[in-house]
Amino acid sequence: MKRLYSLCYRGKQVASITLMLVFWLASPNLAQSAPEQKCTQELVFYKDHNYKIREVRVESVFDFLKAISSDLKSLKSEFVLQKGGDFTVSGLNQGREKIENHLEEIEKYIDPQRRIKVILGKVDNCDDTVGNEQLDVVYRIFTTNYNSYLSHTWEIKNKDVKEPSEAAAETIVTNKKQSFLRVNPFVSYNRTRRLYGGIQLVLTTPSKIFNTFKINSSSSQTGNVEGAELAGSQTPQKRALNYFDYSVAYKHSDLTAGNNRLREGHFRLQFNAATRTIGDKGIVLRYGAALEGGNQQSNLVNEAISQKSLANSGYGALKTYIGTTWTSEDYSFTGSYGLQLGNNGASTKVEFAKHLVDVAFTKRWVPDRQTPGEVHKILTIETRLAAGAIQNFGGIPVSERFFGGNVPQNFISNDSWEILSNPLIRSISQNRLNSDSTIGAIGGTKFLSFNLTVAKPVWGYPLLKKEIAEDPEFHNALDFSVNSTRQFITDYYVTKLNLYAALVDEVYADNSSGRGTLKSDLKGMTEILNSLPTELPDDTPQELRDRYEEQKDLLDGKTALLVLLVSNKKDLSPQLLGILTDGDIEGCRNDPEECSQVTRIIRYSNEFRKVLKDTIFAATAAKLQRLEQSLDERRKTLIEKIKNTDIGKARLLAGRDMKDVTTVINSVTKEVNLVAVSPIGIFDVARLSPDKYGTRFGVGGGIRLALVNFNITLGYAFNPKPAQNEGRGAIVFSLDVINLFH
Amino acid sequence: MPGSSFSIELTVVTNDKLKKITLKLVKAPQDDGSVDWSLDFTLADRKKTTDQFEEVINLKVKVKPAHAKKAEATFDKKSLDSIQTSQTAVAAEAAKLLDNGQISKKTAEGEVQRIIGVRAG
């Protein structure tokens, strides 16, 4: 599960999250269902015995979002089955069809590479009391394309378009068709800024070049931050350039750092890109560059001069960065390196170089056995190691030195890629780890920090309702969908890897070698059939003429169809099994239409030969018989060769491709909680140089309330060795939105 | 255990992102106690990945009553098997031939029917 790492302030969707909180509190979903009565009869029984409908429900895993549940529930008025009415099976079907059409309408503009959609209509809670027979009608919806739930609601637009993954890139093409305004007010607190709040406006448009415009502003008694950005993105889907985004931005900030004040304003041109996934592990490489220019001011002039730094100066910098991400179902890894070459803006000479390394690893333990209806108790351990060093050649602006604390500073401006550019320690308030005790509050030139967070839910409710989690048909439907889709993709890779290339040649090639092929046999069959008349002479008995025409027509049709099917060599490989294999042997014995394409031709040819023996074309029957034998031998040989072909590699690649589908399903069924309360443990270590007090620690804990993908964390981290102005500790408070489908 | 009315829809886009196959299996119990199964098969394609998919052909076939048990078995076994998915590729090719006017609709529908019918047992 990829976490948008946040300690104090990262609540980019707090408005929507606040609304979710309100809706959640108003939602009845949390209430445990009263014990329900089972329905044990077939559906037609309830119709025949005039059961009344107590309630009609439409359930989906996103019912907690009032906008979603309201949208689906508004459909109910269009159902034939209504509360108080008589139950009918046809009515149950009609409701399901209504839901299907509705989802199809919503998903019109969305193009995922894989999608599974399940809609179940059932009866539930059947009361068999004579004279008071009643039941509930329930529709259960599941789709792996969760955008279909979210695409048309204003409060949630958690697009993963910035995620450097192929799956995300698929949705960009069609999602760009809609304009969208998002308003995110937010509020947070830390000891440095005190209580602060602000707003972010994000406008996305269908423009091809720049499709996002953002403005943000936040302020408090002690400081303010403002910014504006014009951004766009493209998806060329090349190996080294799968996705890239670009932006032009301006940022201004005025914040305290101990008894110092840091003010800066700069423009930025930025470019970020990501490759396609590499190898079987799904590794993605990211890279980018940014050009910045502006100015900065700080108060401690003498202290700055003593450290060959500039309290007030212009500022110019070229940043480059590279990183990698690697995610599996239960862990994720990111590693990044950033290099900044900068000066005081007066010349192009490089006056300082900043090096940054940031490595994060998250591991999750999902219990193998979980009880339906109980909170998913997933143990999560998050670790992060960051380091930085500055080479000072001619003078570094004070604002570019390292200031540590409990607010992460991102080296680049990117919502989904964070490279820490400061030591992160949650027991010290923002910017208060600033070398004050040694050289003055002008920041350090080297840092190292390590952060550890442990959390595990102890109470809550799972997202997937108990009734759905216990429904065997629901799980059957999901398994059917996943397994079948995986099989389709395996067939695709068998073709792409040319695993059946030799077999396709055996079917397709012309008879230049003299050995013959299935296609050459079909050609022979066609020539024989074309040499025969469509009808027998008029003096032939009518009954024989009728049989001749009927059998020839059948054989002509089947032969022509197979000739057409094998004429497209490019698409032949995935069809081989279907063309050659009878499947249901018993069925084939009883009805040639149940046989494979090749067996049908053999069977119909056999029947046609019986008719031919009674005609003047009896000699042709022997030729047909030889072709039947040849076709049958080739069919059996090809089937044997198919069975002996190793398609393990194709299965492996199919499994990898299915990851985005199985991730969604596993998340919904085994991991995501509707609400969960988790105690958390915190341990931080940080060191800033120069600093005479050496290593700082942060030890603490707290509580995390998770509402689906929104986390509220509140705790306290103690600073066991505080230096001056650092305080004994700091409140840990954060609002996080995490990617549900990691 | 009462039955249910359900639809399961699978959408798969080939990795060159130019062809999309959608297969929907529907189980619809009836008021007379019988069960109708149907298959909805759609093939769509596009010339470039930045284009919208355009439907080439859509075939809706009712699964033959003789195949109802196979449809049930396919669902109970939790997967289309490799022969069935291969037959889906045959049905996709037949759909293209129908679109080109090279075969009849009945023939093309027969290939869609066989997606369920080819299952052994």
Side-chain angles (χ1 to χ4, degrees):
Chain A
M1 198 180 297
K2 185 175 176 183
R3 178 175 294 279
L4 300 174
Y5 199 91
S6 164
L7 267 194
C8 229
Y9 160 56
R10 198 68 181 263
K12 293 195 183 300
Q13 296 174 349
V14 173
S16 56
I17 291 157
T18 308
L19 282 165
M20 276 171 60
L21 184 60
V22 170
F23 292 148
W24 168 69
L25 289 171
S27 166
N29 286 345
L30 272 191
Q32 289 285 9
S33 321
E36 293 189 340
Q37 300 172 75
K38 296 278 184 201
C39 298
T40 56
Q41 303 293 336
E42 293 296 325
L43 291 173
V44 68
F45 173 87
Y46 300 110
K47 171 248 172 191
D48 289 341
H49 288 81
N50 301 328
Y51 273 62
K52 293 290 184 198
I53 297 169
R54 185 194 297 110
E55 185 188 9
V56 178
R57 301 198 302 273
V58 179
E59 296 176 349
S60 75
V61 293
F62 287 96
D63 275 352
F64 64 93
L65 289 171
K66 213 63 174 180
I68 308 303
S69 57
S70 298
D71 179 63
L72 289 173
K73 279 164 189 168
S74 68
L75 265 185
K76 287 199 299 187
S77 61
E78 298 176 35
F79 292 171
V80 162
L81 300 183
Q82 295 291 331
K83 181 177 175 177
D86 289 338
F87 172 76
T88 62
V89 183
S90 56
L92 186 69
N93 295 330
Q94 184 264 355
R96 174 184 49 73
E97 286 159 13
K98 278 282 178 198
I99 295 170
E100 278 173 32
N101 294 339
H102 183 72
L103 288 181
E104 206 169 304
E105 188 59 32
I106 291 173
E107 294 175 9
K108 221 161 37 178
Y109 296 114
I110 294 162
D111 239 351
Q113 193 156 0
R114 329 253 178 263
R115 180 176 59 203
I116 289 170
K117 196 161 54 179
V118 176
I119 303 166
L120 281 173
K122 305 175 72 99
V123 293
D124 208 4
N125 198 13
C126 294
D127 183 350
D128 301 323
T129 309
V130 176
N132 189 37
E133 296 90 348
Q134 51 184 336
L135 49 72
D136 296 344
V137 171
V138 181
Y139 294 99
R140 294 193 173 129
I141 303 168
F142 179 87
T143 171
T144 55
N145 183 26
Y146 55 93
N147 278 326
S148 72
Y149 295 122
L150 311 176
S151 64
H152 66 301
T153 61
W154 71 266
E155 69 260 35
I156 301 287
K157 190 71 175 177
N158 191 8
K159 281 174 66 169
D160 58 351
V161 69
K162 291 174 184 172
E163 293 293 314
S165 72
E166 290 185 50
E170 288 304 313
T171 63
I172 290 169
V173 171
T174 45
N175 282 348
K176 277 185 172 175
K177 293 192 182 302
Q178 304 160 34
S179 291
F180 203 81
L181 174 64
R182 191 165 79 235
V183 178
N184 299 322
F186 53 86
V187 65
S188 191
Y189 172 87
N190 69 47
R191 193 175 165 185
T192 296
R193 295 189 70 183
R194 305 294 167 88
L195 186 68
Y196 64 96
I199 195 164
Q200 182 185 59
L201 296 173
V202 181
L203 174 68
T204 52
T205 71
S207 164
K208 285 188 178 172
I209 310 293
F210 289 102
N211 55 16
T212 304
F213 178 59
K214 287 185 199 173
I215 296 178
N216 65 76
S217 173
S218 70
S219 70
S220 70
Q221 284 180 306
T222 59
N224 55 76
V225 178
E226 301 81 30
E229 180 183 76
L230 193 59
S233 62
Q234 305 292 334
T235 52
Q237 297 177 352
K238 304 286 183 206
R239 189 181 297 272
L241 189 68
N242 181 47
Y243 164 86
F244 67 91
D245 62 55
Y246 39 86
S247 62
V248 178
Y250 173 77
K251 181 184 173 187
H252 173 266
S253 66
D254 182 353
L255 298 170
T256 61
N259 63 345
N260 199 357
R261 191 136 200 115
L262 303 176
R263 288 178 290 276
E264 61 174 326
H266 65 255
F267 283 95
R268 184 189 72 244
L269 289 174
Q270 182 170 288
F271 168 86
N272 302 316
T275 66
R276 298 181 82 138
T277 53
I278 298 168
D280 299 340
K281 302 287 183 191
I283 295 171
V284 174
L285 287 180
R286 303 185 284 186
Y287 53 96
L291 197 60
E292 297 179 348
N295 60 73
Q296 59 92 36
Q297 297 88 36
S298 59
N299 293 350
L300 302 180
V301 177
N302 293 334
E303 290 84 346
I305 291 171
S306 73
Q307 297 300 313
K308 294 183 188 172
S309 296
L310 306 167
N312 303 293
S313 70
Y315 162 72
L318 171 67
K319 292 180 176 177
T320 61
Y321 31 90
I322 188 165
T324 183
T325 65
W326 177 9
T327 307
S328 82
E329 282 193 15
D330 55 4
Y331 66 84
S332 64
F333 170 84
T334 69
S336 307
Y337 168 74
L339 170 66
Q340 178 180 359
L341 302 173
N343 60 28
N344 62 14
S347 70
T348 55
K349 186 178 157 195
V350 174
E351 288 170 338
F352 70 91
K354 185 187 287 186
H355 303 267
L356 296 166
V357 172
D358 187 358
V359 176
F361 180 77
T362 299
K363 177 87 171 87
R364 303 161 66 248
W365 282 269
V366 179
D368 289 332
R369 287 191 187 172
Q370 301 193 58
T371 306
E374 280 192 6
V375 68
H376 300 301
K377 294 177 181 171
I378 297 166
L379 173 65
T380 305
I381 294 181
E382 300 166 17
T383 60
R384 190 170 196 174
L385 179 70
I390 296 173
Q391 292 174 286
N392 192 349
F393 304 125
I396 176 170
V398 167
S399 64
E400 290 301 316
R401 295 169 68 95
F402 297 129
F403 292 82
N406 59 2
V407 174
Q409 305 294 334
N410 196 356
F411 183 57
I412 58 177
S413 172
N414 189 295
D415 289 340
S416 65
W417 188 8
E418 189 175 68
I419 304 177
L420 269 183
S421 64
N422 66 320
L424 184 63
I425 179 161
R426 288 170 281 189
S427 57
I428 298 175
S429 197
Q430 182 180 7
N431 290 343
R432 290 201 176 201
L433 180 61
N434 53 31
S435 298
D436 188 17
S437 54
T438 306
I439 56 171
I442 58 168
T445 54
K446 286 184 193 168
F447 80 86
L448 182 67
S449 68
F450 172 78
N451 314 109
L452 171 71
T453 310
V454 180
K456 182 175 178 181
V458 294
W459 176 89
Y461 298 101
L463 182 67
L464 194 65
K465 290 184 182 179
K466 187 180 176 192
E467 295 78 14
I468 302 178
E470 287 181 328
D471 186 341
E473 271 196 318
F474 176 75
H475 289 285
N476 235 32
L478 282 190
D479 288 343
F480 172 86
S481 309
V482 168
N483 294 336
S484 301
T485 306
R486 185 181 291 117
Q487 186 58 56
F488 278 122
I489 302 170
T490 302
D491 290 349
Y492 165 78
Y493 277 113
V494 166
T495 302
K496 186 163 182 207
L497 298 172
N498 273 328
L499 298 180
Y500 288 165
L503 305 176
V504 167
D505 282 341
E506 281 196 42
V507 169
Y508 188 83
D510 283 327
N511 186 14
S512 54
S513 64
R515 282 181 297 133
T517 63
L518 193 136
K519 191 177 173 189
S520 63
D521 285 348
L522 288 174
K523 189 178 171 191
M525 181 78 71
T526 305
E527 283 168 357
I528 292 172
L529 290 172
N530 287 345
S531 71
L532 294 170
T534 312
E535 300 171 351
L536 289 176
D538 288 342
D539 57 355
T540 312
Q542 186 62 42
E543 189 257 341
L544 182 59
R545 284 170 63 191
D546 289 344
R547 281 168 54 217
Y548 174 90
E549 283 173 35
E550 183 190 351
Q551 293 301 326
K552 186 175 189 298
D553 199 47
L554 275 170
L555 185 55
D556 274 336
K558 299 307 171 191
T559 307
L561 174 62
L562 188 53
V563 166
L564 285 170
L565 288 174
V566 304
S567 65
N568 182 0
K569 186 179 180 182
K570 190 170 67 64
D571 290 337
L572 187 52
S573 173
Q575 301 179 61
L576 280 178
L577 269 178
I579 288 171
L580 299 168
T581 315
D582 291 333
D584 181 3
I585 309 292
E586 184 68 29
C588 173
R589 198 174 293 130
N590 295 330
D591 181 359
E593 289 301 314
E594 300 293 319
C595 306
S596 67
Q597 311 286 346
V598 175
T599 305
R600 272 185 232 169
I601 290 173
I602 296 168
R603 293 277 297 273
Y604 285 127
S605 174
N606 188 275
E607 290 302 311
F608 187 51
R609 273 195 296 116
K610 291 175 188 171
V611 177
L612 278 182
K613 279 182 185 163
D614 297 331
T615 70
I616 57 176
F617 304 108
T620 309
K623 291 183 192 172
L624 280 177
Q625 188 171 19
R626 281 195 292 277
L627 281 172
E628 286 167 31
Q629 285 166 350
S630 176
L631 279 170
D632 197 41
E633 278 165 22
R634 292 194 201 286
R635 186 185 76 87
K636 287 171 179 163
T637 305
L638 283 166
I639 289 173
E640 198 55 36
K641 286 182 179 177
I642 287 173
K643 279 185 191 162
N644 293 333
T645 303
D646 180 6
I647 62 169
K649 175 89 175 160
R651 289 204 179 104
L652 196 69
L653 293 172
R656 184 197 70 178
D657 279 9
M658 281 297 293
K659 184 175 173 294
D660 51 346
V661 168
T662 53
T663 294
V664 171
I665 292 174
N666 287 340
S667 290
V668 169
T669 58
K670 295 179 189 169
E671 299 174 13
V672 179
N673 290 310
L674 180 64
V675 60
V677 173
S678 312
I680 62 165
I682 293 167
F683 177 71
D684 292 347
V685 180
R687 189 182 179 102
L688 184 71
S689 296
D691 188 292
K692 69 181 182 185
Y693 286 99
T695 305
R696 310 293 202 284
F697 295 90
V699 182
I703 200 117
R704 175 176 290 160
L705 172 66
L707 304 171
V708 189
N709 69 331
F710 169 53
N711 291 346
I712 305 172
T713 303
L714 180 64
Y716 194 86
F718 292 95
N719 180 2
K721 280 175 38 179
Q724 66 188 56
N725 296 326
E726 285 179 6
R728 274 284 173 192
I731 292 173
V732 174
F733 175 70
S734 69
L735 305 170
D736 287 310
V737 175
I738 57 175
N739 185 0
L740 276 180
F741 309 116
H742 50 92
Chain B
M1 182 80 173
S4 58
S5 170
F6 68 70
S7 71
I8 303 172
E9 186 178 292
L10 314 177
T11 301
V12 176
V13 173
T14 54
N15 269 32
D16 61 10
K17 300 176 183 59
L18 298 177
K19 200 157 61 173
K20 177 167 76 171
I21 293 173
T22 304
L23 192 64
K24 185 161 82 172
L25 179 66
V26 177
K27 177 184 174 187
Q30 301 298 311
D31 283 322
D32 61 2
S34 63
V35 178
D36 282 353
W37 289 84
S38 62
L39 263 180
D40 190 323
F41 174 87
T42 305
L43 173 69
D45 66 10
R46 58 188 177 188
K47 289 197 169 52
K48 295 181 295 182
T49 57
T50 46
D51 294 340
Q52 286 276 29
F53 276 108
E54 286 191 10
E55 188 177 286
V56 172
I57 198 85
N58 171 250
L59 293 168
K60 284 186 172 71
V61 295
K62 221 171 163 181
V63 172
K64 292 195 288 195
H67 289 165
K69 278 195 177 156
K70 292 189 185 188
E72 195 83 49
T74 299
F75 179 70
D76 288 342
K77 293 285 186 205
K78 300 180 186 180
S79 182
L80 294 167
D81 61 27
S82 56
I83 304 173
Q84 288 177 299
T85 55
S86 179
Q87 179 58 31
T88 307
V90 174
E93 193 65 24
K96 284 196 289 189
L97 294 172
L98 170 63
D99 190 50
N100 291 339
Q102 290 171 282
I103 62 173
S104 68
K105 189 173 180 191
K106 187 181 169 194
T107 303
E109 286 178 347
E111 297 310 315
V112 176
Q113 283 275 5
R114 198 165 177 262
I115 294 172
I116 296 296
V118 78
R119 189 164 195 114

